[in-house]
Structures are given as structure tokens and as C-alpha cells.
Amino acid sequence: MVLLLQRVARAAVVIDGHIIAKIGRGLLVFAGFGRDDTADNLPRAAARLVAYRVFADAAGKMNHDVRQAGGEILIVPQFTLLADTAHGLRPSFTPAAPPAAGERLFAALVDEVGRLWPATLCGRFGAEMQVELVNAGPATFILHC
């Protein structure tokens, strides 16, 4: 499982010209699942995501997590994070979880994160989405879970 976290001033997911989810200050999380990923890893991944300290404290150091910052979380499925780009000029998606497994894992991750931090929204698995964001910092982190 790969989680790409971006600290944002705001973010939104648009499908067919309609905003289906939007947040203010918080974390935009792109989530990709591999063939070997299981639901067993989700509680730890969700806890790590919610507790990851990327927001500034009073001294300007990254010591606060999204909860302490009063932020929101927007999770977007992105199987392309698991692309094999080692060879050639076209990515291979063989390492990514099959669609049905990826969808189950995505839904379970959203549920788990939402249990830990109710200010959690999500994109739609399998949809053609446009993701709008203002990266704050910029600050982007890759978590391998």
C-alpha cells in the first residue's frame, strides 16, 4: 500500500463537472494498493496517516497531526501509485491490486480513517476524477504501509 500525503490549503474532487468532495486545510491522500496488500495492514496505515505530524506548531516545526491542526482529510483512490516504471516508456500496472480487491481495500481504508477522524471524505473508486488542490508548503510525503 502506498499513501501519498499532501498538506493542502484546500482540495476537491470533481466528477462530470460536479464537486463530490471538498476540504479546507488538511491532508489530501492518494491511496494505491498492491496485489499483496490485505485488510490486515489497514488499521496501522490509518493510524499512521491520521497521526502523521506535518502541520506546524507555534514554533513553526512540523509537530502537529491533522487532528491537532483541526484539519480535514480527503482520500482519493489512485492505483497508478503502484505502477512499475522501471522499464520502457509505458507504465505497467501488474503490481497494482485487481480492481475488485482495490475497491474493497479503499473502502475499508476510508472507513478506518473516518473512525479515527470523522472529518474524512473520499473520492470515488473507478471514476474519472479531476482533483483540484492547493498544496501548502509545498509539502508531500510518501508512506509505504
Side-chain angles (χ1 to χ4, degrees), residues 5 7 27 47-57 61-69 139 141 143:
L5 283 61
R7 187 180 63 195
L27 292 175
R48 191 169 178 216
L49 185 161
V50 171
Y52 212 67
R53 299 180 304 162
V54 298
F55 294 90
D57 63 13
K61 301 224 184 250
M62 287 188 193
N63 279 325
H64 288 170
D65 63 34
V66 69
R67 297 167 296 187
Q68 292 167 311
F141 309 90
L143 300 182

Side-chain angles (χ1 to χ4, degrees), residues 61-84:
K61 301 224 184 250
M62 287 188 193
N63 279 325
H64 288 170
D65 63 34
V66 69
R67 297 167 296 187
Q68 292 167 311
E72 300 170 287
I73 299 172
L74 175 55
I75 307 173
V76 176
Q78 189 172 354
F79 77 97
T80 61
L81 287 173
L82 276 290
D84 179 354

Side-chain angles (χ1 to χ4, degrees), residues 36-145:
D36 297 331
D37 288 332
T38 67
D40 295 341
N41 298 341
L42 294 177
R44 181 180 181 278
R48 191 169 178 216
L49 185 161
V50 171
Y52 212 67
R53 299 180 304 162
V54 298
F55 294 90
D57 63 13
K61 301 224 184 250
M62 287 188 193
N63 279 325
H64 288 170
D65 63 34
V66 69
R67 297 167 296 187
Q68 292 167 311
E72 300 170 287
I73 299 172
L74 175 55
I75 307 173
V76 176
Q78 189 172 354
F79 77 97
T80 61
L81 287 173
L82 276 290
D84 179 354
T85 60
H87 306 286
L89 299 175
R90 183 170 183 257
S92 167
F93 299 108
T94 302
E103 186 170 15
R104 282 192 304 273
L105 290 167
F106 178 73
L109 176 66
V110 170
D111 288 346
E112 189 69 25
V113 173
R115 187 180 63 72
L116 298 172
W117 188 239
T120 298
L121 300 172
C122 65
R124 187 175 304 149
F125 193 93
E128 178 71 26
M129 296 174 279
Q130 288 73 51
V131 180
E132 302 170 351
L133 69 126
V134 175
N135 190 316
T140 301
F141 309 90
I142 299 173
L143 300 182
H144 297 275
C145 302

